[in-house]
Amino acid sequence: MTSIGSNYNKNTGTAAKSSLKLQNSFNSTLRSPVNSSSASSKSKPPALSSSSSSLRRSASKDHHNHHAGGVPGRVRVAVRLRPRNAEELIADADFADCVELQPELKRLKLRKNNWDTDTYEFDEVLTEFASQKRVYEVVAKPVVESVLDGYNGTVMAYGQTGTGKTYTLGRLGEEDTAARGIMVRAMEDILANPEADSVSVSYLQLYMETIQDLLDPGNDNITITEDPKTGDVSLPGTSLVEIRDQRSFLELLRVGEAHRFAANTKLNTESSRSHAILMVHVRRTVNGRDSFSSSQNGDVSHLVKNHKLATLRKSKLVVVDLAGSERIDKSGSDGHTLEEAKSINLSLSALGKCINALAENSHHIPVRDSKLTRLLRDSFGGTARTSLIITIGPSPQHRGETASTILFGQRAMKVENMLKIKEEFDYKSLSRKLDIQLDKLMAQSERQQKAFLDRIEQISKEAQEHIAEAEEKYADALAKERLKYQEEYLESMEKLEEQWLINQKRQESVATTSGRKDDCSNKSPTREVPGIEEVAELKKLLQNEKLMRQAAEDEVKNLRSQLAQSKRSEATANAEILKLNNALEDRMHEREKLDREIEMLQSQLLQLSFEADETRRKLDKESPGAGCGDLDPQGSQGVHPQLRDTGNGDKPSIAKLFEQVGLHKILSLLEADDADVRIHAVKVVANLAAEETNQEKIVEAGGLSSLLMLLESSDDETIHRVAAGAIANLAMNETNQELIMAQGGISLLSMTAANAEDPQTLRMVAGAIANLCGNGKLQMKLRGEGGIKALLGMVRCGHPDVLAQVARGIANFAKCESRASSQGTKSGRSLLIEDGALTWIVQNANNEASPIRRHNELALCHLAQLEVNAKDMISGGALWELVRISRDCSREDIRTLAQRTLTSSPSFLAELRRLRIDY
């Protein structure tokens, strides 16, 4: 349940002024006797120039000096004064600031009382009118420029809670660019530097002595690892995000801030409960010496080129937003918030011990007392350039905390660091270049070998095709000629046989005719003539056959010569193949030679690495240690100065007034005729009610009845506002809640809400009703007397603070209903739904204001746990918001609750299936 006491103090807390008026009414004076003393002056250590230009002019010297022990550099400290807030403008209107700044002299005066002051000097003194740009230029810019030169750097903010540390460091400046903090401006300068090779970021928080990754909430227990040789601290497993533009860095900061722990205390509504640590890693390559590689025979190989042995500078910027130091009696921390405050104060105490030991040149530095001091080991007494800004407030109420913060800064100015450039030869880059060159040579060799083998295969294939084609042609031609001669031979034989038959028939006919005639002898010479002609014709045919056969034999000889030529071509192709094989063997020998040269390059690279290791060891022996060394984990017995309460010059407080005047007398003034007396009396009662130890006394003395009577009888808006705030503080106690309800308090608060127009009055009334909504026993009575309708009626104001309290009250009521349903003491629809609150809850479940959105998301999740509400929530559009919450809500507990609620409700699951939403 959120406290309203701190909210009250912001707007209506004028306890100091009220107490003085009451003292006048009682004719008593509580002022301390006048003591005159002269102002003391605190000496300032010699300042170290912050000009980065001088560091750049001596860059070449620094490159050699850091090997011989580094460049000395004191921790620079600036002080920034926060302007008065609204509460201090009212409460301390009659009192001067507890500090006086003299920026032109870089001097600050702290008032011990009205007559005595202490004077302190710092490197820079920034007034409440100093712009964010001015703060960055004098505090952080020299450190950022040193980081770009290769040095480690630290910018840290220290001070009481609520004095502007997070505003100075982590302000994003989304609405007003002039309000950008140191983190955003530092990254702008780093990204604008063209010489940086890469920029990567880690964002952590130290919460309850546990290191957690703000960019990966699941990584919530990171260990610290120290290099035994160099003493450097590293955090393995931390998310390391490379940054390329300012937009991505701003988004990263938003993600980190959403996961950072914060709480509402009396001193600060958004008090950081963890130390935030932003680490920016910068890598930069600078040109180095030439490195030559040669082959084994002393000649420079055509494959080995001159390589620049580059130098890699690794620097780190650490921006530390320390959680605010606080006194428990002022912050009002209790429960888990009290444990958080104890952890914060212990870690800050350990840091103070280390700074004290370093300032006094002690042999023992207790850095192992806290993880915070281990993380800042290089920032104080190490090799980093460190700039500290301490933030203070002007209010005399917190003079003790302001004095403690100033003394912390004074001691830090005495700490000397030994700045060293973090650089090393970039053997990895050289190795990558050689590997790339070797890969190119091997790829080229493989391509040439593949092309050679492809050419051999192509030539062999072409030769085989030519041989096969020649053989095929020869076989076809031979078959055709054989077939042709056979056909011609058969035709010739047929003709000869026909001719022979014809001749036979003629001879037979001639013989028959010669036997019949008588003059055979005279005609016989004529019969012999045709036979001679036929023989001549046959001889002619035989001659033709011989010629044709001779032509066929010539053709066969020609084909045989072609076959011999083809065989000679094949022999030539085989000879060329043999030649190609020989060339391939030569290529293989060249490749073996390349392999030997590659092995030679690798051996030379190993030799270079060995020489670099030898050089580094020699430098380590020559360079004396400037860090904290091997430290004893046992801490010293000193007390952190922040925890001391000086008490010098404190003004009369409400507690003293309470002791001297008496509660009954103060309460009697609530009924005074003078309106001003009543107003101041109710303000004093409201401040007393903010302390839990006073609440029981106020109730027993009738203070609650008097406050309720004022709500009923008075017409003054200020009395209504302050009385409602006092009732809200009393309503944080369960017993008081029942008394308020029994005396008709909810009806009076509802009436006040209906008549009020002032947003602050409505916020106090809404806060009181919201506290009452958290009591499950009073829900029916609270609803019956119009409490819920009064909450919903105050929505008309539209002020974000009022809406936040309304949402908190609805969330408390829904939670009690859900608990009662699980215990079996309640059934039926939610009273909130019956009174029409669901529509407003759904409309504001995704409100831009984080408190409004968070409380409405919780209310929806609790309402959804009652199955009887499912139908109304589906028809009212709440199901869509539940799905969004289960997926997009920044709070893991709320997101998990929404997921469990959706999966356990049959009605919601059925509707999701109907809408075809995969869940």
Side-chain angles (χ1 to χ4, degrees):
M1 191 179 296
T2 306
S3 171
I4 302 300
S6 59
N7 295 332
Y8 167 78
N9 290 335
K10 273 195 168 184
N11 300 278
T12 64
T14 57
K17 191 172 179 180
S18 304
S19 62
L20 289 177
K21 292 207 172 190
L22 286 176
Q23 288 167 358
N24 293 333
S25 65
F26 294 117
N27 297 321
S28 61
T29 177
L30 299 177
R31 295 184 179 272
S32 303
V34 176
N35 295 323
S36 60
S37 62
S38 60
S40 60
S41 176
K42 309 297 181 183
S43 62
K44 169 186 173 184
L48 176 67
S49 173
S50 62
S51 173
S52 62
S53 60
S54 63
L55 182 62
R56 294 181 181 275
R57 286 193 300 267
S58 60
S60 61
K61 290 184 178 180
D62 292 347
H63 179 71
H64 299 289
N65 289 341
H66 85 279
H67 290 296
V71 180
R74 179 179 56 79
V75 174
R76 292 181 53 80
V77 181
V79 60
R80 187 182 194 185
L81 177 65
R82 169 182 60 76
R84 287 194 178 193
N85 54 32
E87 175 189 351
E88 293 169 348
L89 288 173
I90 298 173
D92 299 332
D94 298 335
F95 299 94
D97 292 350
C98 68
V99 292
E100 178 185 349
L101 303 185
Q102 296 176 332
E104 64 282 355
L105 300 177
K106 297 183 180 181
R107 184 179 297 168
L108 175 148
K109 290 185 177 181
L110 176 65
R111 290 190 176 89
K112 298 172 64 176
N113 47 46
N114 291 336
W115 308 274
D116 193 9
T117 61
D118 288 336
T119 303
Y120 303 91
E121 293 183 0
F122 290 93
D123 293 302
E124 291 291 342
V125 175
L126 303 168
T127 68
E128 64 271 31
F129 305 107
S131 65
Q132 290 282 76
K133 181 179 179 182
R134 167 67 177 165
V135 173
Y136 170 73
E137 288 178 347
V138 301
V139 174
K141 190 168 184 178
V143 178
V144 173
E145 292 178 345
S146 296
V147 170
L148 292 174
D149 283 336
Y151 296 91
N152 285 346
T154 302
V155 178
M156 187 172 73
Y158 177 92
Q160 184 188 11
T161 182
T163 53
K165 297 183 298 301
T166 302
Y167 176 85
T168 300
L169 294 182
R171 185 78 170 183
L172 298 183
E174 295 174 323
E175 299 178 356
D176 182 9
T177 56
R180 291 168 299 165
I182 287 176
M183 290 182 181
V184 178
R185 294 177 184 270
M187 184 55 69
E188 287 178 352
D189 284 354
I190 292 174
L191 293 177
N193 189 290
E195 297 179 354
D197 296 337
S198 67
V199 180
S200 53
V201 169
S202 298
Y203 201 11
L204 313 168
Q205 70 174 350
L206 179 59
Y207 175 73
M208 301 283 285
E209 282 302 301
T210 302
I211 302 175
Q212 302 178 3
D213 194 338
L214 289 175
L215 306 181
D216 182 11
N219 191 7
D220 57 359
N221 190 13
I222 301 174
T223 58
I224 300 176
T225 304
E226 296 183 9
D227 190 328
K229 294 182 179 179
T230 63
D232 292 339
V233 174
S234 60
L235 300 169
T238 305
S239 299
L240 193 62
V241 181
E242 186 170 357
I243 302 298
R244 299 187 182 276
D245 53 45
Q246 189 71 6
R247 182 178 180 182
S248 61
F249 177 67
L250 291 176
E251 184 62 28
L252 181 144
L253 287 182
R254 292 191 197 98
V255 172
E257 288 300 321
H259 295 142
R260 191 176 177 189
F261 288 98
N264 183 4
T265 67
K266 293 180 182 179
L267 297 177
N268 191 356
T269 56
E270 291 292 334
S271 177
S272 300
R273 313 310 291 169
S274 65
H275 307 299
I277 303 169
L278 178 71
M279 294 184 178
V280 183
H281 301 268
V282 180
R283 294 169 60 94
R284 174 190 170 198
T285 303
V286 296
N287 293 331
R289 62 166 187 249
D290 292 339
S291 175
F292 300 95
S293 299
S294 60
S295 59
Q296 292 178 354
N297 56 9
D299 298 330
V300 178
S301 173
H302 66 285
L303 298 174
V304 183
K305 300 179 180 179
N306 294 344
H307 295 282
K308 290 285 187 179
L309 194 56
T311 300
L312 181 64
R313 292 186 177 178
K314 298 180 181 179
S315 56
K316 178 172 65 175
L317 173 64
V318 181
V319 184
V320 185
D321 180 11
L322 295 175
S325 59
E326 61 184 51
R327 291 177 57 181
I328 307 303
D329 57 345
K330 290 188 177 182
S331 65
S333 301
D334 57 1
H336 186 66
T337 308
L338 177 60
E339 296 301 321
E340 292 175 338
K342 290 179 180 178
S343 178
I344 291 170
N345 288 338
L346 284 175
S347 60
L348 293 177
S349 175
L351 178 60
K353 293 177 184 178
C354 287
I355 290 178
N356 288 343
L358 289 168
E360 297 170 0
N361 293 323
S362 175
H363 295 291
H364 170 63
I365 314 298
V367 296
R368 297 186 182 274
D369 285 3
S370 171
K371 289 186 178 180
L372 176 63
T373 53
R374 293 180 66 190
L375 289 173
L376 299 178
R377 180 176 185 173
D378 194 44
S379 303
F380 293 96
T383 62
R385 187 183 188 93
T386 302
S387 184
L388 170 67
I389 179 168
I390 59 173
T391 57
I392 59 176
S395 174
Q397 299 182 46
H398 307 301
R399 201 204 70 83
E401 288 80 0
T402 300
S404 177
T405 301
I406 292 172
L407 291 176
F408 180 91
Q410 288 287 298
R411 283 188 290 270
M413 291 175 67
K414 299 178 182 179
V415 177
E416 288 280 348
N417 290 353
M418 191 62 65
L419 311 185
K420 287 187 179 181
I421 292 180
K422 305 294 183 179
E423 67 178 10
E424 60 185 23
F425 293 123
D426 194 2
Y427 294 106
K428 292 184 179 180
S429 176
L430 178 60
S431 177
R432 285 195 298 270
K433 291 179 181 179
L434 292 175
D435 288 341
I436 292 172
Q437 184 178 356
L438 294 178
D439 290 340
K440 288 181 179 179
L441 291 173
M442 293 178 69
Q444 181 180 359
S445 175
E446 291 176 357
R447 286 195 300 270
Q448 291 177 351
Q449 182 180 359
K450 186 176 183 302
F452 180 69
L453 294 175
D454 291 342
R455 179 60 179 164
I456 291 177
E457 183 178 358
Q458 182 180 359
I459 293 174
S460 300
K461 187 176 181 181
E462 289 176 355
Q464 291 177 0
E465 289 177 354
H466 286 315
I467 293 172
E469 184 179 358
E471 289 178 349
E472 184 178 357
K473 287 181 179 180
Y474 173 75
D476 290 341
L478 186 60
K480 288 179 181 179
E481 290 297 329
R482 185 182 293 111
L483 182 61
K484 178 181 178 182
Y485 291 143
Q486 288 178 355
E487 290 176 353
E488 290 178 353
Y489 177 75
L490 291 175
E491 289 178 0
S492 299
M493 292 300 293
E494 288 177 356
K495 288 180 180 180
L496 289 174
E497 287 179 356
E498 290 176 357
Q499 189 63 38
W500 183 77
L501 289 175
I502 292 171
N503 292 334
Q504 286 293 108
K505 288 179 180 180
R506 284 179 180 178
Q507 289 178 4
E508 289 178 357
S509 66
V510 170
T512 303
T513 304
S514 62
R516 293 176 180 177
K517 293 180 179 182
D518 295 333
D519 50 352
C520 291
S521 58
N522 294 329
K523 295 180 181 179
S524 58
T526 60
R527 287 195 298 270
E528 294 177 357
V529 174
I532 294 171
E533 292 177 356
E534 290 175 359
V535 171
E537 187 176 355
L538 288 174
K539 288 181 179 180
K540 187 178 179 180
L541 289 173
L542 288 174
Q543 186 65 29
N544 290 336
E545 288 292 336
K546 288 181 179 179
L547 293 175
M548 292 174 64
R549 183 175 181 180
Q550 184 66 34
E553 290 177 354
D554 293 339
E555 184 68 22
V556 170
K557 289 180 180 179
N558 187 20
L559 291 175
R560 286 178 177 174
S561 64
Q562 290 181 2
L563 179 60
Q565 186 177 358
S566 297
K567 289 182 177 180
R568 286 193 297 272
S569 299
E570 181 180 2
T572 303
N574 291 333
E576 189 170 354
I577 290 172
L578 181 60
K579 183 179 179 182
L580 291 174
N581 285 330
N582 293 333
L584 178 60
E585 290 179 358
D586 294 339
R587 291 286 184 178
M588 293 299 293
H589 291 309
E590 290 180 1
R591 182 176 179 180
E592 290 177 358
K593 184 178 180 181
L594 285 174
D595 292 338
R596 287 193 298 271
E597 292 177 348
I598 289 170
E599 291 177 358
M600 178 192 65
L601 288 174
Q602 291 176 347
S603 64
Q604 291 173 350
L605 181 60
L606 291 175
Q607 181 65 24
L608 285 174
S609 300
F610 177 76
E611 292 176 356
D613 291 338
E614 290 293 330
T615 304
R616 187 180 295 108
R617 282 194 291 269
K618 291 179 180 178
L619 293 176
D620 290 341
K621 291 179 181 179
E622 296 174 0
S623 175
C628 296
D630 188 10
L631 303 179
D632 188 356
Q634 299 298 327
S636 64
Q637 301 300 321
V639 179
H640 192 283
Q642 174 128 7
L643 300 179
R644 295 172 185 158
D645 186 6
T646 58
N648 294 331
D650 287 340
K651 64 185 179 114
S653 63
I654 296 297
K656 293 180 179 179
L657 180 65
F658 176 74
E659 294 173 0
Q660 295 186 9
V661 177
L663 180 60
H664 289 282
K665 189 63 177 179
I666 295 174
L667 293 177
S668 66
L669 293 177
L670 296 176
E671 300 175 2
D673 295 332
D674 189 349
D676 290 336
V677 174
R678 287 200 308 272
I679 291 174
H680 291 297
V682 74
K683 288 182 178 180
V684 172
V685 174
N687 276 279
L688 290 172
E691 299 290 338
E692 187 176 358
T693 56
N694 299 330
Q695 292 178 1
E696 184 178 357
K697 298 177 183 179
I698 293 173
V699 174
E700 290 177 355
L704 176 59
S705 301
S706 299
L707 292 171
L708 293 173
M709 180 192 67
L710 285 175
L711 286 181
E712 182 178 8
S713 60
S714 177
D715 296 329
D716 190 278
E717 186 76 7
T718 302
I719 291 179
H720 285 173
R721 179 175 68 251
V722 181
I727 294 171
N729 286 333
L730 294 175
M732 294 175 64
N733 183 280
E734 185 174 353
T735 303
N736 294 342
Q737 291 172 357
E738 296 177 358
L739 291 174
I740 293 171
M741 295 294 295
Q743 297 182 27
I746 192 66
S747 300
L748 294 174
L749 289 170
S750 301
M751 179 184 66
T752 305
N755 298 328
E757 295 296 334
D758 179 40
Q760 300 305 325
T761 303
L762 291 175
R763 180 168 68 90
M764 296 301 174
V765 175
I769 297 177
N771 287 343
L772 294 173
C773 287
N775 193 326
K777 302 175 183 178
L778 307 176
Q779 284 200 320
M780 294 300 297
K781 188 174 182 180
L782 187 144
R783 188 247 185 157
E785 294 181 10
I788 297 177
K789 291 189 178 297
L791 275 178
L792 296 176
M794 285 183 278
V795 172
R796 72 183 186 278
C797 173
H799 195 279
D801 292 340
V802 178
L803 298 183
Q805 295 300 328
V806 172
R808 185 172 69 86
I810 291 174
N812 287 343
F813 197 97
K815 183 177 181 181
C816 290
E817 280 191 327
S818 174
R819 186 187 300 116
S821 176
S822 63
Q823 294 173 353
T825 59
K826 183 189 182 307
S827 60
R829 294 170 64 209
S830 169
L831 300 179
L832 291 171
I833 294 178
E834 291 181 358
D835 283 355
L838 182 61
T839 302
W840 184 82
I841 297 173
V842 173
Q843 291 174 352
N844 290 271
N846 199 15
N847 195 288
E848 293 181 356
S850 175
I852 302 173
R853 181 176 66 253
R854 182 174 71 251
H855 290 310
N856 281 322
E857 288 174 345
L858 277 172
L860 283 177
C861 292
H862 289 308
L863 288 174
Q865 291 183 349
L866 279 71
E867 186 65 19
V868 294
N869 297 335
K871 183 177 179 181
D872 293 317
M873 296 186 72
I874 292 172
S875 62
L879 177 59
W880 295 103
E881 288 300 323
L882 283 171
V883 172
R884 179 192 63 77
I885 294 168
S886 68
R887 293 176 177 175
D888 302 331
C889 182
S890 60
R891 285 272 299 271
E892 184 177 0
D893 54 342
I894 299 176
R895 189 168 66 248
T896 304
L897 180 60
Q899 293 170 355
R900 186 170 65 248
T901 301
L902 286 173
T903 55
S904 62
S905 172
S907 301
F908 288 149
L909 290 176
E911 182 66 10
L912 290 173
R913 286 194 294 269
R914 187 184 72 80
L915 296 174
R916 297 182 180 179
I917 297 176
D918 186 11
Y919 192 83

